C-alpha cells in the first residue's frame, strides 16, 4: 500500500492534478476569507447591504430617455434600465458611424491619389494620438458654441429642430395605426431578404448580377411611408415653449458630442485594420479582377473587401469592445448612460458601492460578450464561405 502510494507521488500526471486541486482550494479559501471579512466590516459599520435599494424611489430626473417610461418617482431599478438602454444606444450609434468612417478612411489610405492618401494619414495620426476624454470635451464645447439657442433653432420643414440643446424630432404616437405601419415595415424587410437571397442564388448559378437597390427602396422605404399615409398614423411634433422645446423626442447635445467623439476616435483604429486587411489580399486577386473587366469599385466590393474582412474582423471586434467601454466616459459631458446614472447618482444616494459596481460590471461584461459572440459568428461565416 505504502509502495503504491509512493509510486503515485512520483507520477507526473498525479502530481499535476494534486497541485491544481491545492491551488483551487487555496484560492477558494482566500476568496471566502476576503468575502467574509468584507461582510463583517459592512455589518460593523452599519452599512446597508443587499439589493433591496433597487425598489426604492430614485428621486432624480434623467435627461436622455429613449424608449422607457421614467420620472423621479420611478425606482432605482427603472433608472438602471434607462442607463442600460442609453449605453446601448450610444454604443450602437458609435459602432455604426465608426465602421462607416473607418471603412472610408481605410480605403483612402491606399488611394493612388496623393492628396486623399495623405489626408487619410493625417486624420488617423491626429485623432488616434489624442486621448478620447479630451476629444469628447472638445466636441462638446464645439457643439455648444456652434449651434444656436432654442429660439434661433435650425428648422427642417418646421418638424425637426437643431440647436444647442440637441436635435428635436417628431415622436410616433403608439396606436393601432403605428402597429400597422410597423407590420408593413417588417413585411418589407422580410420580402427584401427573400429577394436578396434569390438574387444571390441566381448569381451563384448563372453569374448574372441583379440590382436589388430598387427593391430595397420600394419595400423598406416606400412601403412604410405609403402605409403611414394610408392608415393615418399620428406624430407628436416638438414645439418651442418657454426656453426649450416640448413634445416629440430629442437627442441631447451631450449624446451627439459623445457619439461623434467615439466614432471619430475608434474609426482611426478600424481604418488601420481595414488597410492591413486590404494589403493582405494577394495582388493576383486584384489583377484577376481587373482582367475580368471589373471596375475598381466592383473589384473592391466583390473581390478585395470580402477577403480583407477576414483579416480585419478580429481587430475590429476589439475596437467595438473598446468603444462600448469608452462610453462610460460620458460622465464628463453629462450624458446619462449607465455609469453616470447608476454608479454615479444612485451610488451617491444609497451608498451601496459593492452591489452597484458589481451590477454595472456585469452589464458591461454581458454587452462585450454579446458583441464578441455576434462578430465571431459573422467571422466564422465569412471563413466558411471562402472555403
Amino acid at each position: 500500500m505504502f509502495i503504491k502510494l509512493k509510486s503515485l507521488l512520483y507520477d507526473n500526471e498525479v502530481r499535476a492534478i494534486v497541485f491544481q486541486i491545492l491551488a483551487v482550494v487555496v484560492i477558494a479559501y482566500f476568496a471566502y476569507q476576503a468575502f467574509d471579512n468584507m461582510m463583517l466590516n459592512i455589518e460593523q459599520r452599519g452599512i446597508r447591504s443587499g439589493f433591496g435599494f433597487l425598489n426604492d424611489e430614485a428621486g432624480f430626473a434623467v435627461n436622455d430617455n429613449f424608449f422607457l417610461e421614467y420620472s423621479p418617482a420611478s425606482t432605482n431599478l427603472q433608472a438602471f434600465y434607462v442607463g442600460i438602454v442609453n449605453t446601448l444606444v450610444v454604443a450602437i450609434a458609435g459602432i455604426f458611424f465608426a465602421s462607416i468612417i473607418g471603412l472610408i478612411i481605410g480605403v483612402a489610405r491606399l488611394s493612388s491619389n496623393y492628396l486623399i492618401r495623405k489626408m487619410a494619414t493625417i486624420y488617423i495620426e491626429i485623432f488616434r494620438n489624442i486621448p478620447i476624454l479630451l476629444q469628447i470635451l472638445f466636441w462638446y464645447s464645439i457643439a455648444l458654441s456652434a449651434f444656436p439657442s432654442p429660439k434661433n433653432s435650425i428648422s427642417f420643414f418646421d418638424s425637426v429642430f437643431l440647436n444647442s440643446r440637441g436635435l428635436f424630432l417628431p415622436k410616433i404616437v403608439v396606436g393601432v395605426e403605428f402597429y400597422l405601419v410597423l407590420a408593413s415595415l417588417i413585411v418589407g424587410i422580410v420580402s427584401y431578404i427573400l429577394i436578396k437571397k434569390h438574387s444571390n442564388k441566381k448569381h451563384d448559378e448563372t453569374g448574372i448580377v441583379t440590382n436589388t437597390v430598387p427593391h430595397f427602396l420600394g419595400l423598406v422605404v416606400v412601403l412604410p411611408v405609403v402605409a403611414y399615409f394610408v392608415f393615418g398614423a399620428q406624430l407628436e411634433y416638438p414645439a418651442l415653449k418657454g426656453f426649450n422645446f416640448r413634445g416629440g423626442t430629442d437627442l441631447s447635445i451631450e449624446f451627439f458630442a459623445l457619439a461623434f467623439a467615439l466614432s471619430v476616435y475608434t474609426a482611426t483604429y478600424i481604418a488601420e485594420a481595414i488597410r492591413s486587411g486590404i494589403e493582405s489580399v494577394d495582388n493576383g486577386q486584384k489583377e484577376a479582377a481587373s482582367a475580368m473587366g471589373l471596375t475598381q469599385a466592383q473589384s473592391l466590393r466583390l473581390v478585395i473587401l470580402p477577403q480583407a474582412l477576414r483579416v480585419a474582423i478580429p481587430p475590429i471586434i476589439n475596437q467595438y469592445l473598446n468603444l462600448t467601454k469608452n462610453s462610460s466616459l460620458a460622465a464628463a459631458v453629462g450624458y446619462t448612460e449607465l455609469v453616470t446614472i447608476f454608479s454615479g447618482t444612485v451610488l451617491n444616494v444609497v451608498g451601496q458601492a459593492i452591489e452597484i459596481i458589481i451590477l454595472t460590471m456585469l452589464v458591461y461584461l454581458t454587452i462585450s460578450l454579446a458583441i464578441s459572440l455576434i462578430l465571431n459568428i459573422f467571422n466564422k461565416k465569412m471563413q466558411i464561405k471562402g472555403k
Side-chain angles (χ1 to χ4, degrees):
M1 180 69 182
F2 178 75
I3 296 174
K4 189 175 180 179
L5 183 62
K6 189 176 180 181
S7 64
L8 285 176
L9 290 176
Y10 285 100
D11 188 318
N12 288 335
E13 292 186 5
V14 172
R15 282 195 300 177
I17 294 173
V18 170
F19 284 134
Q20 290 178 51
I21 293 174
L22 287 175
V24 171
V25 170
V26 170
I27 292 171
Y29 173 77
F30 279 107
Y32 171 76
Q33 287 296 326
F35 180 77
D36 186 58
N37 191 44
M38 178 187 71
M39 297 305 296
L40 183 63
N41 287 334
I42 289 175
E43 186 178 351
Q44 288 177 346
R45 296 178 185 180
I47 299 175
R48 183 184 175 189
S49 61
F51 294 93
F53 71 93
L54 291 173
N55 296 320
D56 294 346
E57 182 178 305
F60 60 89
V62 173
N63 293 331
D64 301 276
N65 183 14
F66 294 101
F67 306 112
L68 304 177
E69 293 293 332
Y70 179 85
S71 70
S74 301
T75 64
N76 288 323
L77 183 61
Q78 289 172 296
F80 177 63
Y81 291 149
V82 171
I84 293 175
V85 171
N86 289 355
T87 297
L88 288 174
V89 169
V90 76
I92 292 171
I95 287 172
F96 177 75
F97 289 109
S99 301
I100 294 176
I101 299 171
L103 177 62
I104 294 172
I105 298 297
V107 174
R109 279 271 283 153
L110 299 173
S111 172
S112 57
N113 186 299
Y114 176 82
L115 181 61
I116 293 176
R117 188 170 66 251
K118 287 301 176 185
M119 287 180 66
T121 303
I122 291 170
Y123 168 86
I124 290 173
E125 294 303 329
I126 289 177
F127 291 106
R128 184 173 59 179
N129 293 307
I130 297 176
I132 179 62
L133 180 58
L134 286 178
Q135 293 193 44
I136 292 172
L137 294 172
F138 173 76
W139 292 118
Y140 182 57
S141 302
I142 290 291
L144 284 178
S145 58
F147 292 117
S149 64
K151 286 188 177 180
N152 300 310
S153 298
I154 301 171
S155 173
F156 302 94
F157 308 106
D158 287 332
S159 301
V160 178
F161 303 92
L162 179 64
N163 56 53
S164 59
R165 300 286 180 86
L167 180 66
F168 295 82
L169 304 161
K171 181 180 179 181
I172 297 173
V173 178
V174 178
V176 177
E177 299 83 2
F178 165 73
Y179 290 115
L180 290 172
V181 174
L182 182 63
S184 68
L185 176 63
I186 294 172
V187 169
I189 292 174
V190 172
S191 302
Y192 173 72
I193 291 173
L194 293 176
I195 291 173
K196 186 67 178 176
K197 283 188 174 180
H198 176 72
S199 67
N200 290 339
K201 185 179 178 182
K202 182 181 176 182
H203 175 260
D204 294 338
E205 294 175 351
T206 65
I208 299 174
V209 179
T210 304
N211 184 8
T212 58
V213 174
H215 299 89
F216 175 82
L217 294 176
L219 292 170
V220 181
V221 179
V222 177
L223 180 61
V225 173
V226 172
Y228 167 77
F229 287 107
V230 170
F231 297 120
Q234 299 294 316
L235 293 176
E236 177 188 311
Y237 291 90
L240 182 62
K241 294 181 180 178
F243 295 101
N244 203 359
F245 281 85
R246 297 286 183 272
T249 187
D250 66 283
L251 298 172
S252 68
I253 207 69
E254 291 80 11
F255 168 81
F256 275 111
L258 179 65
F260 188 75
L262 291 174
S263 303
V264 169
Y265 178 76
T266 309
T268 60
Y269 293 94
I270 294 178
E272 286 298 86
I274 295 290
R275 179 189 61 79
S276 63
I278 292 175
E279 287 184 330
S280 71
V281 178
D282 189 78
N283 283 331
Q285 296 285 322
K286 302 170 186 174
E287 292 168 0
S290 178
M292 290 176 65
L294 297 180
T295 63
Q296 284 191 343
Q298 289 175 324
S299 174
L300 180 68
R301 184 168 59 89
L302 301 175
V303 178
I304 299 173
L305 278 182
Q307 298 181 70
L309 285 178
R310 295 173 193 164
V311 177
I313 283 179
I316 288 177
I317 293 175
N318 290 333
Q319 296 312 316
Y320 286 168
L321 298 179
N322 287 336
L323 185 148
T324 304
K325 288 179 282 190
N326 284 337
S327 68
S328 61
L329 297 171
V333 292
Y335 175 68
T336 48
E337 47 73 64
L338 181 62
V339 173
T340 306
I341 294 178
F342 203 58
S343 297
T345 308
V346 174
L347 175 58
N348 289 332
V349 173
V350 302
Q352 292 184 235
I354 296 172
E355 293 88 344
I356 289 175
I357 297 298
I358 287 176
L359 284 176
T360 306
M361 289 193 298
L362 285 176
V363 170
Y364 278 99
L365 178 63
T366 304
I367 294 173
S368 298
L369 291 176
I371 292 173
S372 296
L373 177 64
I374 293 171
L375 290 177
N376 281 325
I377 291 173
F378 178 71
N379 190 29
K380 189 175 181 180
K381 188 177 180 182
M382 293 284 292
Q383 290 176 346
I384 291 174
K385 286 178 71 176
K387 291 182 179 178

